[in-house]
Amino acid sequence: MAKTTLLLLLVSALAISTPGASASVARFETTDIILQADRSYDGRQGVPNPFTDVTLTAQVTSPSGRRHTVTGFFDGDGQGGSAGRIFKLRLTPDETGTWTWTTTSNQVSLHGKSGSFRCDGSLSGVFSAGPVEVNPERPRSFRYRDGQPVYLIGKFLDVAAPARIRFSHTMFSEELTDADRQDMLDRHAGMRLNKINVYVANRGDYASVSTTPWVGTAFNNDKTRFDLSRWHVYEAWVRRLRDAGMVAHLWFFADDSGFGNLPDADQRRLLQYGMARLSGYANTMFTLALEWQEGWTPTEVQTYAQYLHQQNPWDRLVSVHGLTGAFSFPGASWADYMDIQAGNEVDHDRVYDLGLLHISLADKPLIQEEHGLGTEDGPHRKKAWAAFMAGAGGSGTGGFLEPLARFISTLPFERMEPSPLLVLSGDAYALAQPDPEPGQIYLFYLYGGGSVTVNLTALPGTLLAEWLNPRTGSFSGLPDVQGGGVRTFSAPGADDWTLILRRPFTPGEPPPSYFYTVPPCRLVDTRQGEALRSGQRTRFVAFGACEIPRTAKAVSANLTSVAPTTSGLFALWPGDQLKPVASSVNFTAGRNRANNAVLTLGEDGTVFAEVSMGHPSATTHLVIDVNGYFE
């Protein structure tokens, strides 16, 4: 076996092995195999050009025998400098066990190299569950690789933000500072968003706030050579987004930039190099171009999107974005999701109607990417809700997104479908679980307030009812409702409100009776993300975590409030029932407080947790450790 010096990138540290030695990396961690050529290349000038004259690929084999063809890339001195002899192969190992690799290159010093490494443990944070993919069981929704559903929500148009961070597409721009980028990330995190749209190349959009991946300036550059210092900035911020739980939604070509007229070789070179460097991060997904009709023909879109998939060894999601209206390629195999804009000047009804249209076009996720400039007002709030209620798998802008994102996280949204026929009169959109089951939910968004008459014939029995205020995310209970017929409800105030109707567990269901231990395991730890604010409700799923099977009815747990800023309490309850009066753990300011509890699970394995504290801005963290379950 030929041997070479091997370096593995682990989080932000470099671990250097001796020739031929194996290293260990975490599952879903970005892992670099770093090769040193026998000569130095200058990435900014000179011949040979390492970006055009050197080819490098590797056959990478997983422990189960899956093969990935990975394209290598030139990286100068490996630290952002343009001159050097470093070439890299970027991997995302997604199986535990031993991985092997073998290179092919037109340069003797890079050809025929091979090695192995072990994958053990897992990446920390949100993406420990893997990258975002289409949910194979419910293909109009997204999920993390290990199965937890996710609704992708971002705000790439945000005129309510300070001027330098209003448009997230500019995040990689050479005109922004790292302080600007951090402000942008902090603002998105503060709204509980989980996706940020970013351009890889732009020279004409957003008043020409350029992002230039090539050597040179936006209007004077060499498209056969890449500016490695800029690419190191891109990668650093993709990692920061990952560690913050954010999807980096990367758009290769901006509109208003003339990139559709580039020579074929230049377009392919950027796509290949970009995928080689960026697809190895578990939090990435890709869009070929914004408003493709301004620069590409349908045939060119298909050609380059298929090429993107050929350069996509880790199966990241790929699509394209178009002008206002319906998605142009709903049946294309390369279009993993549909990415549309309703238009910035339309009303919420147009957003809703476009959402319903796309359900009939393809059985794949829809992202309602652009339907307003992000003003924090009622019209933008209603458009964000309209996108969600019409069955989108994600949304890219709108207003009052923090309460919407919090609410969506409490729902089995992947099992819900737009159900306009449930509304018999009144101004409302309906979203419902179609199959009768314990915990079945009907939502009615009364976008104009007032009254709504709805058909509950398929939802018999006593129903639990709540109102949600879309402006604040707060809930208010209603008396139980009798289903099985036509009912009328009146919103508790002016403007928009959301009515939640839920079927509880069947009365008389036998209690859990058998207890099974599991190794001590941390089920929930909000310290990996943001602290919970007073009044905030969160939802987590026990099934599949900590060896808890789908047959479990309850779990034995230790609940801990960590670093509370005021006194308060946590209430926890099954995900298909209403909030109880009793608390699960009480705490005081500045002191961690724990309590043992048996948590009954919802039919789908879910549990709600809500914190109540002495001030609306007060915060605390929640940690839940389990040691067994009941059947």
Side-chain angles (χ1 to χ4, degrees), residues 404-583:
L404 175 59
R406 276 199 284 129
F407 177 58
I408 292 174
S409 72
T410 71
L411 296 171
F413 57 85
E414 76 284 0
R415 303 207 302 268
M416 304 179 75
E417 298 178 1
S419 305
L421 296 180
L422 293 177
V423 179
L424 302 180
S425 66
D427 296 330
Y429 305 136
L431 191 69
Q433 286 175 254
D435 300 323
E437 56 182 303
Q440 185 180 4
I441 297 175
Y442 279 17
L443 297 182
F444 298 96
Y445 177 62
L446 285 66
Y447 50 82
S451 297
V452 61
T453 300
V454 299
N455 184 355
L456 304 181
T457 303
L459 199 66
T462 300
L463 309 177
L464 307 175
E466 288 182 295
W467 285 105
L468 171 76
N469 184 334
R471 291 160 292 286
T472 65
S474 61
F475 296 86
S476 54
L478 283 170
D480 290 349
V481 173
Q482 192 62 37
V486 174
R487 300 289 180 267
T488 298
F489 300 87
S490 296
D495 218 337
D496 51 329
W497 289 83
T498 301
L499 174 66
I500 308 159
L501 301 175
R502 190 189 309 269
R503 182 201 297 266
F505 274 129
T506 303
E509 187 175 76
S513 56
Y514 295 101
F515 180 71
Y516 301 89
T517 61
V518 297
C521 177
R522 184 143 291 171
L523 180 63
V524 174
D525 188 347
T526 64
R527 291 173 299 181
Q528 294 184 3
E530 289 188 349
L532 302 176
R533 292 195 294 275
S534 182
Q536 184 170 332
R537 182 177 297 186
T538 188
R539 170 179 175 264
F540 59 89
V541 181
F543 289 165
C546 296
E547 302 183 19
I548 300 169
R550 298 190 66 84
T551 53
K553 301 296 185 183
V555 295
S556 173
N558 181 269
L559 318 176
T560 307
S561 172
V562 179
T565 58
T566 70
S567 60
L569 59 88
F570 269 107
L572 289 93
W573 68 97
D576 49 11
Q577 297 185 22
L578 281 184
K579 179 182 174 182
V581 175
S583 65

Side-chain angles (χ1 to χ4, degrees), residues 3 40 225 292 294 457 489 552 559 611 626:
K3 298 177 180 177
S40 183
R225 297 174 184 272
W292 66 266
E294 295 181 356
T457 303
F489 300 87
L559 318 176
V611 60
V626 299

Side-chain angles (χ1 to χ4, degrees), residues 203-402:
R203 69 176 184 180
D205 204 4
Y206 302 110
S208 301
V209 179
S210 59
T211 300
T212 311
W214 304 287
V215 169
T217 65
F219 291 91
N220 182 19
N221 54 69
D222 181 354
K223 291 186 174 63
T224 68
R225 297 174 184 272
F226 296 102
D227 188 317
L228 298 181
S229 63
R230 291 176 185 157
W231 281 90
H232 273 256
V233 171
Y234 302 170
E235 292 168 351
W237 283 94
V238 168
R239 290 195 298 272
R240 287 202 192 185
L241 292 175
R242 182 196 67 187
D243 295 343
M246 297 276 181
V247 170
H249 188 175
L250 303 173
W251 302 55
F252 274 102
F253 296 110
D255 67 343
D256 302 320
S257 299
F259 291 141
N261 297 321
L262 291 178
D264 176 75
D266 289 346
Q267 295 194 36
R268 289 176 182 264
R269 187 178 304 110
L270 177 60
L271 296 176
Q272 182 187 69
Y273 193 79
M275 293 299 282
R277 292 198 76 129
L278 300 173
S279 69
Y281 292 95
N283 62 317
T284 55
M285 60 186 290
F286 297 90
T287 295
L288 173 65
L290 184 83
E291 297 181 350
W292 66 266
Q293 294 94 333
E294 295 181 356
W296 284 264
T297 67
T299 298
E300 288 172 331
V301 169
Q302 303 241 33
T303 297
Y304 290 121
Q306 289 167 354
Y307 183 73
L308 263 181
H309 271 297
Q310 293 168 10
Q311 307 299 317
N312 188 14
W314 310 109
D315 295 325
R316 302 295 180 251
L317 299 176
V318 170
S319 191
V320 72
H321 175 275
L323 292 171
T324 302
F327 188 72
S328 300
F329 309 95
S333 59
W334 54 262
D336 296 316
Y337 58 96
M338 299 179 285
D339 201 315
I340 70 166
Q341 58 169 312
N344 293 327
E345 306 304 322
V346 302
D347 64 12
H348 56 85
D349 276 336
R350 176 58 176 163
V351 174
Y352 184 74
D353 289 344
L354 266 180
L356 295 185
L357 168 66
H358 283 79
I359 289 175
S360 67
L361 294 182
D363 200 18
K364 59 179 63 174
L366 169 69
I367 300 181
Q368 286 257 26
E369 200 68 73
E370 185 175 352
H371 44 72
L373 295 177
T375 306
E376 290 294 322
D377 60 12
H380 282 75
R381 180 179 65 249
K382 293 175 184 181
K383 286 192 276 188
W385 271 88
F388 170 63
M389 296 295 291
S395 180
T397 189
F400 291 78
L401 295 183
E402 193 268 348

Side-chain angles (χ1 to χ4, degrees), residues 56-71:
L56 172 64
T57 61
Q59 288 296 314
V60 181
T61 304
S62 75
S64 68
R66 289 184 299 124
R67 287 190 149 190
H68 305 262
T69 300
V70 177
T71 300

Side-chain angles (χ1 to χ4, degrees), residues 126-127 129-133 142-150 194 245:
V126 169
F127 294 97
V132 172
E133 63 182 20
F142 297 106
R143 72 173 191 183
Y144 296 107
R145 175 73 54 83
D146 283 354
Q148 182 175 345
V150 58
N194 57 19

